[in-house]
Amino acid sequence: LNGLLALCRGFDEEKGRWLLELHDEEQKYVKNDNILTVLEPGATLMLERGCVAHVTIGRVSLLDEMEQEARESLDEDLGVFCEKSDVRAELNCVAGWPQFSVVLRGVPDVVQRALPELEGLFGFYGMKFKCAGVGVGPVKPAEHSASEVREAEEDDDGEKPSETVEVEGLVIESKERRARPQRKNRYGV
């Protein structure tokens, strides 16, 4: 819409228009003639206040033409990327659509920091692009990774410290999950 990227939410038969969600979560109905169907590689749509990045990678034929071993390696590398970057990634190949994309989910700053890593990952496999779009900002350096923060929170005995929250005079303290005995089925087994 007016040169902006949007996520297609579906087609409204009654109105004869596509329902699109813009980066600011505003929804618009648009005629078919006003939709550009093929995006440049790297076109990035930030959604859900930066917690989700929808990144166009390229044509589906690039994936289809990969040898099985290279494709399996890409899938493995994407899994390692997720662990290292502390984001969830999903390869998005819609049936009948000529392009594929990757959807990243996580904390907004972490998602932003993962975008250059994603560029490098696919660049290694010959699919070079640069993430660009509304909401794609400069990468802020990480103070600590999420796993380092989790490790630092643990006490010497391996337990996480409890958190206390007070709401309208009610104090709630979080505790570590405790071991419970296995439930028996209705037959006592």
Side-chain angles (χ1 to χ4, degrees):
L1 185 63
N2 297 329
L4 298 176
L5 293 177
L7 185 64
C8 184
R9 291 293 184 188
F11 188 75
D12 187 322
E13 293 284 338
E14 291 179 14
K15 295 182 179 184
R17 295 176 185 236
W18 291 95
L19 175 61
L20 303 180
E21 181 180 330
L22 302 174
H23 68 92
D24 60 359
E25 298 180 16
E26 180 183 3
Q27 294 187 344
K28 297 270 186 184
Y29 287 94
V30 179
K31 291 181 191 175
N32 196 39
D33 297 341
N34 295 331
I35 296 177
L36 177 65
T37 56
V38 179
L39 301 171
E40 290 293 318
T44 304
L45 181 60
M46 301 301 292
L47 300 167
E48 298 179 21
R49 297 188 177 118
C51 292
V52 176
H54 188 274
V55 183
T56 301
I57 306 297
R59 302 192 68 72
V60 173
S61 60
L62 294 171
L63 285 179
D64 293 341
E65 293 169 359
M66 288 179 85
E67 292 185 22
Q68 183 176 354
E69 186 176 306
R71 177 59 195 270
E72 289 171 358
S73 178
L74 172 63
D75 291 340
E76 288 174 17
D77 288 347
L78 201 55
V80 170
F81 160 78
C82 289
E83 289 177 21
K84 179 181 166 195
S85 301
D86 204 25
V87 294
R88 289 189 348 226
E90 173 186 334
L91 203 57
N92 187 21
C93 299
V94 178
W97 189 253
Q99 294 178 302
F100 75 99
S101 58
V102 170
V103 178
L104 299 179
R105 297 176 192 279
V107 177
D109 287 345
V110 175
V111 170
Q112 286 285 343
R113 283 193 300 274
L115 293 174
E117 297 276 337
L118 187 68
E119 294 169 1
L121 172 67
F122 280 91
F124 178 79
Y125 289 94
M127 300 177 228
K128 296 184 185 214
F129 63 88
K130 180 79 175 139
C131 292
V134 175
V136 177
V139 178
K140 298 175 188 173
E143 293 176 17
H144 300 286
S145 72
S147 58
E148 289 174 334
V149 170
R150 282 191 290 269
E151 289 172 8
E153 288 178 348
E154 293 185 0
D155 292 335
D156 294 333
D157 58 0
E159 291 185 22
K160 293 181 182 176
S162 62
E163 295 180 41
T164 304
V165 178
E166 184 175 345
V167 180
E168 297 179 3
L170 177 66
V171 178
I172 301 172
E173 185 178 6
S174 68
K175 300 276 185 173
E176 244 340 92
R177 183 178 180 181
R178 58 179 195 237
R180 296 184 180 180
Q182 281 294 102
R183 290 182 137 190
K184 296 181 179 180
N185 63 21
R186 64 182 179 190
Y187 302 109
V189 180

